[in-house]
Amino acid sequence: MKIAVLSGGVGGARFLRGLLHHLDQTRPAGTTEVTVIANTGDDITLFGLRVCPDVDTILYTLGAGVEERAGWGRAQESFRLQAELTEYGLQPQWFRLGDLDLATHIARSQWLGQGLTLSAVTARLAARWGLPERGVTLLPMTDVPVETHVVVDDGERRAIHFQEWWVRHHASLPAEQFVVVGLDRATAAPGVLDAIRGADVVLLPPSNPVVSIGIILGVPGVRDALRGTPARVVGVSPIIGGAPVRGYADACLAALGVPATAEAVAGLYTDFLHTWLVDPTDADAAVPGVRTVAHGEELLMRDVAASARIAGHALALAEVGG
Amino acid sequence: MKIAVLSGGVGGARFLRGLLHHLDQTRPAGTTEVTVIANTGDDITLFGLRVCPDVDTILYTLGAGVEERAGWGRAQESFRLQAELTEYGLQPQWFRLGDLDLATHIARSQWLGQGLTLSAVTARLAARWGLPERGVTLLPMTDVPVETHVVVDDGERRAIHFQEWWVRHHASLPAEQFVVVGLDRATAAPGVLDAIRGADVVLLPPSNPVVSIGIILGVPGVRDALRGTPARVVGVSPIIGGAPVRGYADACLAALGVPATAEAVAGLYTDFLHTWLVDPTDADAAVPGVRTVAHGEELLMRDVAASARIAGHALALAEVGG
């Protein structure tokens, strides 16, 4: 079976870890191929090094190297190098880069500098974290550098990098608009459209609908592939009872004038979404043309087991249909 | 008083530290300007980052951040990041880059990538290590990338980077020739020739005569400036009793067919050298046109005090003349 998953960072990575756990427990090894299409819209160049936060979070989470509490970054991390960069007066300090994590960015930057595509680089990184052995192919949504900027106005109207808005300001500056620099000239990375078109199942984890899934959907061809795929597309709501499960999805949705409800988020996907898995509290969500199904427990990925049950439920809805 | 010093790595840095110590103890603050012209011939790009070993050794030594026993690298260093690079399959492992040290290379590489010259970058690095406050201007010999390669033959004749020969092979592969890639098209960095021409005193620390001092002398214009300067040029022998004080100067000299003696090394400098400070065991060294003076004790920079006495002696010879 071929499963394609569109993924942002922490939420997507935890969902994927749950999915792999579910597959390990329910399917013979080697019978399932999971292709992950990762958001690269929040990529950023810091200290001359290319950082792909969502890709890295997926690598570390699936490779058992993630800092579990934060959900991103490396476990047993130290921050000696960045403290030295600060001594040299280098900014920013608000984006924390650990000593172990920096190795990923140095490796990536060196390989990109040698002319490898981001896809090729990501494959090399994924090999170290054991993804191929687990039947997982990790693809960046595009090989073209794409960076999300946020138009904010706190007296002075200006565009700042998404990471500055998200990490430094905790999405507290009202976002007027998201401008995805480079997205108009981006093309889907090799394998991305084929993975969607050739999938048996397409899953949307509870990733941010605006700055994760929304950005992937903006890559030319992706939305058409989702509309055209014979696979069932099943999504997991990132909103429970009117509030995001984590992160600042509400602040992102506000910029689009979309309410932070499970219903409204599904409304962004109606042209390709078949089934929408929601929290029991959102069981009455009604989305035209989309089947809404309530999960049997809170829709929270509290641990790997809970994530596996959510992923397993989504997968069952996509396979069995109804 | 204006002092110009041509410097390699560990030997040069320790000499400079001794010189500053001597000046602190004997001269009113602010009355002496020391311009260091540093060898950049052993620079290397590792993991996409530009490493300038001699410049860094000078920075760390004068800035009280050096690992004292090795004489290079940072004190209280850790090596977590490079271990991660190894996990990604990145080479080389034989050149050790610590977490703190890597910050210097990341800062340098970022600034070079922004279009700054190596001189401008070096000035920024030097500011952090407090060199300007101590009256020290640190100049790379050239802003043009220059890299020393070594022609070796261990059955297969080939050229390898100087660092591979020095660090990996401990200079054990017989060197047939040193090829300084880029040196022919190099120009002295801004301030280098003026520092020599306008100096009251020019000092040569006991740096490697072939791959440190010898490379600086190969920068077009440097040797002419030394020949033409009204300043006295005083050198400190890196050879004691037929053996190098440290490093592999003997292996380097062999490639030139020059014996590893205090006398023979001075012979490389006779066109501009006025006085040659040697170890008492080499008191009978006779170099045509050069005054040879024996130091009053072993010519070893065992500690800062001993280095200060050597530097002070060299300075006195340059000032008082005779």
Side-chain angles (χ1 to χ4, degrees):
Chain A
M1 184 178 55
K2 294 182 178 179
I3 306 174
V5 184
L6 277 55
S7 179
V10 180
R14 287 181 172 166
F15 177 86
L16 285 162
R17 183 168 60 176
L19 177 64
L20 295 185
H21 186 77
H22 171 79
L23 293 171
D24 284 347
Q25 303 224 314
T26 57
R27 319 270 163 137
T31 60
T32 311
E33 295 172 28
V34 178
T35 301
V36 181
I37 299 159
N39 173 41
T40 58
D42 56 357
D43 291 3
I44 187 167
T45 299
L46 295 168
F47 309 114
L49 302 171
R50 191 65 177 166
V51 181
C52 301
D54 286 357
V55 165
D56 293 343
T57 296
I58 294 166
L59 291 171
Y60 300 159
T61 302
L62 299 189
V66 78
E67 166 57 35
E68 199 56 50
R69 277 177 57 187
W72 51 269
R74 294 285 306 272
Q76 283 90 46
E77 186 58 285
S78 51
F79 295 88
R80 304 189 80 208
L81 198 156
Q82 192 171 18
E84 288 300 308
L85 293 176
T86 304
E87 290 292 319
Y88 282 124
L90 285 175
Q91 300 295 335
Q93 300 168 31
W94 49 260
F95 197 101
R96 295 270 280 167
L97 293 171
D99 300 330
L100 303 180
D101 186 35
L102 273 160
T104 303
H105 314 316
I106 290 175
R108 173 184 291 120
S109 301
Q110 182 180 11
W111 289 329
L112 288 173
Q114 289 168 354
L116 271 73
T117 62
L118 185 61
S119 296
V121 167
T122 304
R124 287 191 178 185
L125 297 173
R128 178 260 162 101
W129 291 103
L131 272 58
E133 295 94 303
R134 305 193 68 187
V136 177
T137 302
L138 176 59
L139 304 176
M141 64 184 199
T142 176
D143 283 337
V144 177
V146 167
E147 289 195 2
T148 304
H149 288 71
V150 187
V151 179
V152 297
D153 190 346
D154 55 353
E156 179 200 2
R157 191 162 186 273
R158 63 194 191 283
I160 59 177
H161 193 285
F162 169 73
Q163 294 296 351
E164 185 171 357
W165 181 71
W166 186 268
V167 176
R168 185 182 197 181
H169 296 292
H170 308 290
S172 63
L173 297 177
E176 295 190 354
Q177 193 186 346
F178 295 95
V179 179
V180 192
V181 180
L183 196 61
D184 54 337
R185 64 175 184 276
T187 51
V192 164
L193 300 182
D194 285 346
I196 296 171
R197 291 181 191 128
D200 300 302
V201 168
V202 177
L203 301 177
L204 304 190
S207 290
N208 189 304
V210 182
V211 294
S212 295
I213 303 290
I215 305 298
I216 303 173
L217 295 177
V219 176
V222 167
R223 199 157 196 135
D224 280 343
L226 285 164
R227 289 188 190 119
T229 182
R232 229 161 231 179
V233 183
V234 175
V236 178
S237 175
I239 304 285
I240 297 181
V245 174
R246 59 163 284 133
Y248 314 112
D250 45 351
C252 299
L253 288 163
L256 278 64
V258 173
T261 65
E263 203 168 80
V265 170
L268 299 171
Y269 306 144
T270 48
D271 53 328
F272 60 81
L273 187 68
H274 185 273
T275 305
W276 190 231
L277 182 60
V278 300
D279 185 81
T281 61
D282 296 312
D284 60 352
V287 188
V290 177
R291 180 178 64 151
T292 300
V293 176
H295 194 47
E297 59 181 324
E298 259 195 319
L299 197 67
L300 280 180
M301 299 187 291
R302 290 190 192 284
D303 51 30
V304 175
S307 307
R309 290 193 295 275
I310 291 171
H313 192 175
L315 187 60
L317 291 169
E319 286 187 298
V320 182
Chain B
M1 186 177 52
K2 294 181 179 179
I3 306 174
V5 184
L6 277 57
S7 178
V10 180
R14 286 180 172 167
F15 178 86
L16 285 163
R17 184 168 59 176
L19 177 64
L20 295 186
H21 187 76
H22 171 79
L23 293 173
D24 285 346
Q25 304 223 314
T26 57
R27 318 270 162 137
T31 60
T32 310
E33 295 172 28
V34 178
T35 302
V36 181
I37 299 159
N39 173 41
T40 59
D42 56 357
D43 291 4
I44 188 168
T45 299
L46 295 168
F47 310 113
L49 303 172
R50 191 65 176 164
V51 180
C52 301
D54 287 357
V55 165
D56 293 344
T57 297
I58 295 167
L59 290 172
Y60 300 160
T61 303
L62 299 188
V66 78
E67 166 59 33
E68 199 58 48
R69 277 176 56 186
W72 51 268
R74 294 284 307 271
Q76 281 93 49
E77 187 57 285
S78 52
F79 295 88
R80 304 190 80 208
L81 198 156
Q82 192 170 17
E84 287 299 309
L85 293 176
T86 305
E87 290 292 319
Y88 282 124
L90 286 175
Q91 300 295 335
Q93 300 167 32
W94 49 260
F95 198 101
R96 296 270 280 166
L97 292 171
D99 300 330
L100 304 180
D101 188 35
L102 273 161
T104 303
H105 314 317
I106 289 175
R108 172 185 292 120
S109 301
Q110 182 179 13
W111 288 329
L112 288 174
Q114 289 168 353
L116 271 73
T117 62
L118 186 60
S119 296
V121 168
T122 304
R124 285 190 179 185
L125 297 173
R128 178 259 163 105
W129 291 102
L131 272 57
E133 295 93 304
R134 303 193 68 187
V136 177
T137 302
L138 176 58
L139 303 176
M141 65 184 199
T142 177
D143 283 337
V144 177
V146 168
E147 289 195 2
T148 304
H149 288 70
V150 187
V151 180
V152 296
D153 190 347
D154 54 354
E156 179 199 1
R157 189 163 187 272
R158 64 196 191 280
I160 59 177
H161 193 285
F162 168 73
Q163 294 296 349
E164 185 170 358
W165 181 71
W166 187 269
V167 176
R168 185 182 196 181
H169 297 293
H170 308 290
S172 63
L173 298 177
E176 296 191 353
Q177 192 186 347
F178 295 95
V179 179
V180 191
V181 180
L183 195 62
D184 53 337
R185 63 176 185 277
T187 51
V192 163
L193 300 181
D194 285 346
I196 296 170
R197 292 181 190 128
D200 299 303
V201 169
V202 176
L203 301 177
L204 304 189
S207 291
N208 190 303
V210 182
V211 295
S212 295
I213 303 290
I215 305 298
I216 303 174
L217 295 177
V219 176
V222 166
R223 197 154 198 137
D224 280 343
L226 286 164
R227 288 186 191 122
T229 182
R232 231 164 229 173
V233 182
V234 176
V236 178
S237 174
I239 305 285
I240 296 181
V245 174
R246 57 164 285 134
Y248 314 110
D250 45 352
C252 300
L253 288 163
L256 277 63
V258 173
T261 63
E263 204 168 78
V265 170
L268 299 171
Y269 306 144
T270 48
D271 52 329
F272 60 80
L273 188 68
H274 185 274
T275 305
W276 190 230
L277 181 60
V278 299
D279 186 82
T281 61
D282 296 313
D284 60 352
V287 188
V290 176
R291 180 177 64 151
T292 301
V293 176
H295 194 46
E297 58 181 325
E298 259 196 318
L299 198 66
L300 281 178
M301 299 187 291
R302 291 191 190 284
D303 52 30
V304 175
S307 307
R309 289 193 296 274
I310 291 171
H313 193 176
L315 188 59
L317 291 169
E319 287 188 298
V320 180

